[in-house]
Structures are given as C-alpha cells and as structure tokens.
C-alpha cells in the first residue's frame, strides 16, 4: 500500500497476507518471525493488536496505519515497525510522531561505555517524550536471535516504564535490565506513544552494537555505538521539522539517501517511484 488510492482497497489482514507473500519470494526465507501487527486508526493504539478477518478495518487516507512485522531467514531474523499516514495528519499526530522519532534517533546514535546496561540506555529514547509528558508502557529494545527467537536475551533496553521499587524487588527485571551490553549484541530500537482509542505511533529498527572510535581515550574503557541496519523510510509527512534539531534533521535526510542508494536498483515502476518520493529531504 504505497499510496492512499491503493491503500483504500486493502484491509488490515490483506496487508499481513501480502507481506508474507512478498517474503516468500526472497532467498533464504523460512517464515515470519511473528504474527504481523497490521493496524488502522484506533487499532494502532493497541500495542499487541491482532487483526481478524471478520472485524478488521480497511486502510484509509484519513487514519494512521501501523505495521510491525518480521521474517525468519537462514542468515538472520528481522523485526521492523513503521507508522504512516496516507492523507493529511493532524498537528497532534505529527507532534507525537516527531517525539517518537527523536527518541528512536537518540538511542540509534548513542555512544556509550561497553558494559552499560539497558536500563540506562532506555532513558535516551524516553527523554524527548518525557519532556512533553508522553510515555509508553513497553520496553524500548529487545535482543533478536540469528535465525532464532525474535525476542531473545540476555539483554533488554527498557525499564523506564517501571517504577524503581518494582525493579528493585524483581530478580528477573534486575537480571535483564542490568545486563551489560557488549559488542555484537543485536537489538531492536522501538519507542512508541499511544493515545488510547485514537491512534498510536511506533518506530522500530534493528541495530547492532559495535566498537566506537571516540576522539579521546581517557582509560582502557572501550566504547560502543550502534550500526543502523534497517532500510525502510520514515513517514516524512508525519514529521514536524520545527521540533527536530539540525543534527536530527540531517540524520533523517542522510538515512533516506542511504535507503534510496541501497534499494533503488531492487525496485521498478511504481515501487521505485514511491521509494524516490519517500526518501526526499525533509521539507519545512
């Protein structure tokens, strides 16, 4: 559903079936890594929504659309979420999306000492939302196996949605949230925000912890950064550019250029035209 006209002919379940059919054509594909979450309008505010044929909604130019989906391949596993609008979003929807995007970028661009735990990194993603009084009730990132479990330990980026006393009193939470991150950890980056009964936003990509080259080395401490692996455009029309810093705006534009350059030769016709339009620099 690359545009509003085609979207209006599809429902939530149709998209689930379509994306599985597309994956089946890919080399090394084995199966979906989980049941696709395909949601329209108020259903996007349900974090673990599951569409049913008898009751699902049709895609619409007037409502948000969220898809959370992934595949199992012999050489790895994916878990990706994008939220889009096929028509004209409201200013409130753009503000929600922009704050989630800022949180997503804050984690994706983090540089941190090796051994930092997920509880500390979680605050990177939540800060832009907290400043508007926004929050989300799920973790920010989870481990992803290599042709294994799509949700896999030992580490998790999260905890900001849980009061400190509950973390203190739970051995399981302490074990997961205080697990030191090391080079080679493959995790998701998926902050969100949900206005109950109205709409929800989530942006999720897969990132890999790798050694960082910092300007200063004040001790033997090693630092890490994240390599950003997912190549799916953000929804440009949902971005309130005035909320973004120059660095954030440059990141989005550079990322979209990378998406275009790496994928343009894989697509033809309307799909290639859509990718070109989706990866133009932000306006405003």
């Amino acid at each position: 559903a690359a545009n509003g006209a085609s979207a209006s002919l599809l429902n939530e379940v149709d998209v689930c079936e379509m994306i599985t059919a597309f994956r089946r054509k890919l080399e090394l594909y084995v199966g979906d890594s989980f049941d696709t979450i395909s949601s329209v309008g108020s259903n996007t505010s349900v974090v673990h929504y599951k569409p049913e044929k008898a009751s699902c909604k049709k895609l619409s130019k007037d409502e948000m659309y969220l898809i959370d989906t992934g595949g199992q391949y012999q050489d790895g596993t994916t878990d990706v979420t994008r939220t889009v609008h096929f028509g004209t979003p409201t200013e409130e929807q753009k503000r929600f999306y922009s704050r989630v995007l800022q949180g997503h970028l804050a984690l994706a661009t983090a540089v941190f000492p090796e051994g930092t735990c997920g509880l500390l990194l979680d605050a990177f993603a939540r800060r832009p939302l907290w400043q508007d009084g926004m929050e989300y009730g799920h973790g920010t990132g989870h481990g992803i196996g290599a042709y294994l479990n799509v949700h896999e330990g030992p580490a998790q980026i999260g905890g900001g949605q849980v009061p400190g006393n509950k973390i203190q009193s739970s051995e399981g939470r302490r074990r997961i949230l205080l697990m030191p991150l090391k080079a080679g950890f493959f995790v998701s980056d998926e902050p969100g925000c949900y206005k109950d009964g109205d709409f929800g936003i989530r942006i999720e990509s897969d990132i890999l912890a790798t050694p960082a080259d910092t300007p200063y080395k004040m001790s033997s401490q090693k630092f890490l950064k994240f390599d950003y692996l997912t190549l799916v455009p953000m929804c440009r029309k949902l971005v309130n550019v005035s909320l973004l810093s120059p660095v954030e705006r440059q990141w989005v534009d550079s990322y979209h250029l990378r998406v275009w350059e790496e994928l343009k030769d894989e697509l033809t016709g309307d799909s290639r035209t859509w990718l070109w339009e989706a990866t133009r620099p932000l306006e405003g």
Side-chain angles (χ1 to χ4, degrees), residues 3-203:
N3 55 58
S6 58
S8 64
L9 302 176
L10 301 170
N11 63 39
E12 294 166 333
V13 172
D14 290 334
V15 180
C16 296
E17 294 173 346
M18 284 176 59
I19 201 160
T20 297
F22 287 141
R23 283 202 188 96
R24 287 198 184 102
K25 300 176 182 179
L26 299 177
E27 188 178 1
L28 304 182
Y29 170 77
V30 178
D32 291 349
S33 52
F34 57 95
D35 290 339
T36 293
I37 298 172
S38 171
S39 53
V40 173
S42 60
N43 293 337
T44 63
S45 68
V46 181
V47 176
H48 295 116
Y49 174 74
K50 180 177 174 59
E52 302 289 348
K53 279 190 176 182
S55 58
C56 68
K57 288 187 174 184
K58 283 191 173 184
L59 277 65
S60 166
K61 292 180 65 176
D62 301 319
E63 296 183 284
M64 302 286 278
Y65 177 69
L66 182 153
I67 184 164
D68 184 345
T69 188
Q72 288 279 20
Y73 304 87
Q74 293 176 22
D75 60 348
T77 302
T78 63
D79 185 359
V80 179
T81 307
R82 289 293 185 267
T83 308
V84 300
H85 199 295
F86 298 112
T88 304
T90 67
E91 289 303 312
E92 180 181 51
Q93 289 170 337
K94 292 169 67 173
R95 189 176 190 93
F96 270 64
Y97 185 92
S98 299
R99 291 307 189 201
V100 172
L101 176 62
Q102 288 177 301
H104 181 80
L105 300 187
L107 178 59
T109 60
V111 176
F112 53 95
E114 185 172 38
T116 298
C117 66
L119 181 61
L120 290 177
L121 290 173
D122 185 63
F124 283 57
R126 293 183 190 269
R127 181 184 179 276
L129 289 94
W130 282 346
Q131 71 185 31
D132 269 8
M134 299 175 181
E135 56 185 353
Y136 53 98
H138 58 75
T140 298
H142 57 81
I144 302 173
Y147 187 30
L148 291 165
N149 293 334
V150 70
H151 283 221
E152 184 175 274
Q156 183 183 58
I157 300 172
Q161 78 280 21
V162 182
N165 63 316
K166 289 190 175 182
I167 296 175
Q168 284 182 320
S169 63
S170 170
E171 180 183 350
R173 284 195 175 110
R174 293 198 308 272
R175 183 177 64 251
I176 293 172
L177 297 176
L178 298 180
M179 175 64 65
L181 265 72
K182 301 177 182 179
F185 277 29
F186 182 44
V187 299
S188 66
D189 174 1
E190 53 179 304
C193 198
Y194 311 89
K195 189 176 181 184
D196 190 34
D198 193 351
F199 66 87
I201 310 286
R202 187 164 63 257
I203 301 172

Side-chain angles (χ1 to χ4, degrees), residues 222-242:
K222 296 179 180 178
F223 280 75
L224 300 178
K225 61 180 179 64
F226 289 116
D227 287 351
Y228 197 96
L229 304 182
T230 301
L231 297 175
V232 181
M234 306 299 175
C235 184
R236 292 165 57 252
K237 70 170 65 176
L238 277 169
V239 179
N240 182 337
V241 178
S242 69

